[in-house]
Amino acid sequence: MEILRKFKLPGRSKSPIFVFTATGLAFTAVTGTATAVSVFRDSPSNKIATAVEGVVRSSRAIYAISLTVADYKYSLRRLPADSDEYLQRLNEVHSRSARRILKLCESNKSFYVKAGQFVATLKLVPTEYSLALSSLQDQAVPCNFQEIKHVLTSNLGQNLTEIFSSFNEEPIAAASIAQVHHAVLKNHQEVAVKVQYPGLKQNMKLDTMIMSFLSKSVAKIFPEYRFDWLVYEFVKSISQELDFIQEANNSERIAKNFKHNKMITVPKVFWELTTTQVLTMQFCKGFKVDDVESLKSNNLSPEKVAKVLVEVFAEMIFVHGFIHGDPHPGNILVSPGGHNGFSLVLLDHGNCKTLDEGFRRDFCRLWEALILLDSNKIQELGKQFGVGKYAKFFPVIFTGRTSESKSGLGKGMSIQERQKLKQEVKLLRLEDITTFMGSLPPDFLSVLRTDGLVRSITLKLGAPKRTRLLAYAKYAVYGLDYKPPSESDFVEKSMISRSVMLMSYLRLRLILEVMELFQRMKKLKHTIYGFYGQLINGITNSVKRVTCSV
């Protein structure tokens, strides 16, 4: 609290401006919303209750963010940015702030949990934040079934007994914006019914208004702390997820893109039982993709599953240009059986992204350059992506090595490379990171988030880093020459395209293997020279000792 007084930031109970701000934003959001989903929330008394709750939630957010900004400002003051003490203090502030933001998300729930999950998947945020906020992935409290039932009947226009022969009132899954129930239709078809929580649009308007207000306020006080791009991307993402009609369309588009791939299953949509707030799909059995014990008990290789997973998402990114934006383990199931022993079931298509065609092709070129460590090409593409000098960090972000690396693909960095990188990172300030992130095209941020989630799953499955890198390289090469064939000549053109892709990929692999062979020969040469030098020194010393004794 001493920090707050010195900095003249509002305390929890001492600033009327603090309370008025929260109150004004809450009432603006509530009264400016057209209608809530549930009739239980439409009465004036409930609107007032919602506004009061909004004041409490807004106050928590304003207090937590104000304290966090003050913590960074005063904990790091007068410390040289390139000093070890600065880095140590910065890590301590990161840890404190991450715990503070986690507590805020847990207290405010709803879209704050969703926002925390969103930030946790961005691998460019400090590790302390991604580790702390990743615990929010499984934190969702199911809604009372009576309210869920009202959403169902008001959207479907019938009583549940008229549509379903059975409907399990206990949800089989719960997330921050919806929960899923297992049911059986009158024709004995098993379905999964996803139901949106009532009053979400009202809450979203308030929560995103507060987030936007805070990000702009922080940016005005401290220009180096710019996170408005993060709020913008989150609001855009969550707005799409609240429209289940859009999610159903996304699901069918992904199903069409992979209809010739027997390793992929996308649940069928029951359109007659789908609205903006209710989504009814085919029920698919399986277990989470990162459940290693279940994989092994079903005699499935975790590495093989990881290989299929990365190839699926590589094809989405580099070829289709239409990506599933939230591939956390709960949204990808492994279903044992079939010709290849298993298939991947892709769920929850609310957060999908259509990539700009120019971006898709440039991203293919970037990955080809990353694999070959073509620093000139990486820098050139960095200018096109709008990040300028920061493009030199692309190899570290995506492949785990620098552009000057002497290590083989997937081998990481040498000790010397790590030390050099550490010195470069020391010179980076927080405003450098926020400038870099804010300069990236929105498509880049979407891909970065998806790649981060896929990477964490493959890591848990124990797949070598090289598996992901080579899969991305293969589909990047394929994506450069890809033109979607028409339905009539799909088979013929698809075979030709894949043949061209294979030849291009083999060429890339040959170049890569030759590069790594030269690196190994260099290392062998240095080893032989070192051994030879030690041998000569040993012989010389022995001769000297013999001469001296004589």
Side-chain angles (χ1 to χ4, degrees), residues 292-340:
V292 177
E293 288 186 12
S294 294
L295 288 173
K296 290 181 177 178
S297 65
N298 283 275
N299 297 317
L300 297 175
S301 164
E303 285 191 26
K304 186 177 179 182
V305 171
K307 185 174 184 297
V308 173
L309 176 72
V310 295
E311 289 197 343
V312 165
F313 280 89
E315 189 168 345
M316 284 186 192
I317 294 168
F318 298 105
V319 180
H320 303 157
F322 185 70
I323 61 173
H324 188 305
D326 195 18
H328 68 77
N331 287 339
I332 306 170
L333 304 182
V334 177
S335 180
H339 178 70
N340 296 297

Side-chain angles (χ1 to χ4, degrees), residues 27 62 71 74 80 97 131 196 252-253 262 282 284 337 386 395 397 405 482 494 537:
F27 275 101
I62 294 170
D71 196 358
Y74 280 89
S97 301
L131 288 176
Q196 193 174 115
E252 291 200 334
R253 182 172 174 183
K262 302 301 180 186
Q282 169 192 0
C284 296
I397 293 167
S405 180
Y482 176 76
S494 182
N537 286 336

